[in-house]
């Protein structure tokens, strides 16, 4: 088990004080340098990040991964999601004869067998299969609806900003810095003074399957939604990502105070001034001049990336 697995296990533990212990444990692994690739197309937002240290916290719905921060069902059989088999056994032990009872509850698909048995008491033999399928379909639709509510809650209440551990990641320069025409902002995490920002800075765990919220609910009394935002499919592992994750409720106690803009897109909050700015190798002369001016006024070092015979280098 690597440290991220250990951290997540501790963070999700239901034991008193486990979250505090997890956040303290995580601090030792936060990289000293984190990087944030930005396009120069939204120049005023970029200026706000460089000059005022305010970063944009986006909605999961605005990500380029359509499954970002999602709960995905791993099975289409409702039996997998039925909670508390013992409760059903208790309810039906006086209703079913002993042989039927044992046959049903010893089967791996016990819930389907139970549905079939109950249906047989109300419909003809010819209609049992159809009745069973309808009942299971209705139950599965309910499970899908609950999963949809989990995802809607995440999209409605969480906003985050993305960082990485490398300033020379070519795909990220292309995807997030407008094809090397933008910038890469460097942050020195040892100079982040707000402990809350440190606490809500999370590593991303890359997995083959995204978390299944319904299955998690079986094991968790309290479902911590950050868990979903900390997981991405392994296809995205090249990003080597960290995330600053905030619940909107931290900023607004009254839901009526939350603006349409924040609900639909996101919000800017203070994080830190960049410790250095790296200009893209293809940045325009106009954008370079603007950004160098801002950085000079705030004593932020600037370097420009260059495509060399040895790869991408800062000059």
């Amino acid at each position: 088990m690597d440290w991220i697995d250990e951290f997540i296990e501790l963070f999700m533990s239901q034991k008193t004080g486990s979250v505090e212990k997890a956040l303290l444990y995580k601090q030792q692994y936060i990289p000293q340098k984190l990087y944030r690739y930005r396009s120069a197309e939204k120049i005023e937002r970029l200026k706000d990040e460089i000059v005022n240290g305010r970063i944009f916290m986006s909605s999961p719905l605005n990500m380029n991964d359509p499954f970002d921060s999602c709960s995905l069902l791993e099975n289409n059989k409702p039996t997998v999601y039925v909670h508390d088999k013992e409760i059903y056994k208790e309810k039906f032990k006086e209703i079913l004869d002993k042989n039927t009872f044992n046959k049903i509850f010893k089967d791996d698909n016990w819930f389907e067998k139970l549905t079939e048995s109950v249906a047989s008491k109300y419909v003809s033999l010819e209609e049992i299969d159809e009745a069973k399928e309808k009942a299971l379909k209705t139950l599965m639709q309910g499970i899908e609806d609950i999963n949809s509510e989990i995802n809607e809650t995440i999209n409605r209440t969480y906003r985050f900003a993305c960082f990485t551990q490398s300033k020379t990641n070519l795909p990220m320069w292309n995807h997030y810095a407008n094809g090397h025409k933008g910038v890469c902002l460097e942050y020195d995490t040892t100079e982040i003074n707000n402990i809350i920002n440190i606490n809500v800075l999370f590593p991303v765990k890359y997995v083959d399957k995204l978390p299944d919220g319904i299955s998690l609910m079986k094991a968790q009394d309290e479902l911590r939604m950050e868990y979903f935002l900390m997981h991405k499919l392994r296809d995205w592992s090249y990003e080597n990502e960290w995330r600053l994750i905030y619940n909107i409720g931290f900023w607004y106690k009254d839901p009526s105070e939350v603006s349409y803009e924040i609900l639909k897109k996101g919000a800017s909050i203070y994080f830190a001034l960049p410790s250095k700015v790296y200009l893209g190798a293809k940045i325009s002369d106009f954008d370079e001049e603007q950004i160098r001016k801002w950085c000079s006024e705030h004593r932020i070092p600037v370097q420009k990336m260059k495509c060399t015979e040895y790869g991408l280098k800062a000059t």
Side-chain angles (χ1 to χ4, degrees), residues 158-169:
Y158 282 86
R159 299 294 176 267
F160 62 95
C162 306
F163 302 84
T164 184
Q165 297 183 52
S166 171
K167 61 180 179 291
T168 56
N169 188 311

Side-chain angles (χ1 to χ4, degrees), residues 241-284:
E241 190 177 344
W242 282 71
R243 291 182 160 182
L244 189 73
I245 301 172
Y246 268 95
N247 185 318
I248 292 178
F250 181 83
W251 304 326
Y252 299 94
K253 302 304 178 187
D254 184 350
S256 66
E257 295 177 358
V258 184
S259 70
Y260 177 84
E261 182 75 10
I262 291 174
L263 282 176
K264 292 298 179 183
K265 295 182 180 179
S268 292
I269 67 165
Y270 181 77
F271 179 65
L273 287 176
S275 52
K276 187 178 287 189
V277 173
Y278 294 93
L279 304 171
K282 298 181 180 180
I283 195 168
S284 71

Side-chain angles (χ1 to χ4, degrees), residues 57-310:
M57 307 287 290
S58 186
S59 163
L61 293 175
N62 295 332
M63 296 295 105
N64 53 359
D65 176 5
F67 296 108
D68 203 304
S69 310
C70 278
S71 164
L72 286 188
L73 298 175
E74 63 180 350
N75 203 298
N76 62 0
K77 290 188 176 181
T79 313
V80 175
Y81 298 105
V82 175
H83 297 195
D84 301 320
K85 181 179 180 180
E86 294 304 315
I87 292 177
Y88 284 88
K89 289 174 72 173
E90 186 67 26
K91 286 182 178 180
F92 283 91
K93 69 179 181 181
E94 303 297 334
I95 299 174
L96 302 172
D97 64 79
K98 188 174 182 180
N99 288 337
T100 303
F101 180 89
N102 289 334
K103 185 178 180 180
I104 288 173
F105 287 102
K106 286 181 180 179
D107 196 291
D108 289 339
N109 294 318
W110 63 271
F111 192 80
E112 291 187 24
K113 297 293 184 183
L114 179 62
T115 304
E116 183 178 318
S117 176
V118 172
S120 69
K121 298 182 183 298
Y122 301 98
V123 297
S124 65
L125 289 174
E126 293 78 13
E127 297 173 313
I128 287 178
D129 287 343
E130 183 181 352
K132 183 186 75 171
E133 288 305 313
K134 282 184 178 179
L136 292 174
K137 185 176 180 180
T138 300
L139 180 59
M140 197 64 218
Q141 183 60 58
I143 291 169
E144 290 173 2
D145 289 344
I146 294 171
N147 190 70
S148 180
E149 287 178 15
I150 292 173
N151 288 326
E152 288 175 9
T153 298
I154 294 168
N155 293 332
R156 187 172 59 250
T157 59
Y158 282 86
R159 299 294 176 267
F160 62 95
C162 306
F163 302 84
T164 184
Q165 297 183 52
S166 171
K167 61 180 179 291
T168 56
N169 188 311
L170 290 174
M172 296 187 77
W173 269 109
N174 188 55
H175 298 158
Y176 305 117
N178 193 26
H180 299 262
K181 297 174 185 175
V183 300
C184 178
L185 307 179
E186 176 189 277
Y187 293 93
D188 186 339
T189 59
T190 62
E191 297 191 6
I192 298 174
N193 298 320
N194 187 343
I195 188 60
I196 296 174
N197 280 342
I198 291 294
N199 284 342
V200 297
L201 192 59
F202 294 96
V204 169
K205 175 73 176 177
Y206 296 99
V207 292
D208 294 320
K209 292 182 179 179
L210 290 175
D212 181 333
I214 306 299
S215 294
L216 275 174
M217 288 170 66
K218 294 170 67 175
Q220 299 280 327
D221 294 329
E222 178 187 356
L223 194 58
R224 299 191 178 106
M225 297 300 187
E226 292 87 351
Y227 184 81
F228 300 98
L229 286 91
M230 281 190 277
H231 287 79
K232 291 190 73 171
L233 290 170
R234 204 173 300 281
D235 309 61
W236 300 92
S237 61
Y238 71 89
E239 293 187 348
N240 206 10
E241 190 177 344
W242 282 71
R243 291 182 160 182
L244 189 73
I245 301 172
Y246 268 95
N247 185 318
I248 292 178
F250 181 83
W251 304 326
Y252 299 94
K253 302 304 178 187
D254 184 350
S256 66
E257 295 177 358
V258 184
S259 70
Y260 177 84
E261 182 75 10
I262 291 174
L263 282 176
K264 292 298 179 183
K265 295 182 180 179
S268 292
I269 67 165
Y270 181 77
F271 179 65
L273 287 176
S275 52
K276 187 178 287 189
V277 173
Y278 294 93
L279 304 171
K282 298 181 180 180
I283 195 168
S284 71
D285 293 341
F286 176 80
D287 289 338
E288 179 174 351
E289 182 180 352
Q290 286 275 88
I291 293 167
R292 285 189 182 276
K293 180 176 178 291
W294 301 335
C295 291
S296 175
E297 291 170 352
H298 292 80
R299 298 181 179 180
I300 300 172
V302 179
Q303 287 187 277
K304 187 173 182 179
M305 305 306 289
K306 184 178 180 181
C307 298
T308 75
E309 303 302 319
Y310 302 95

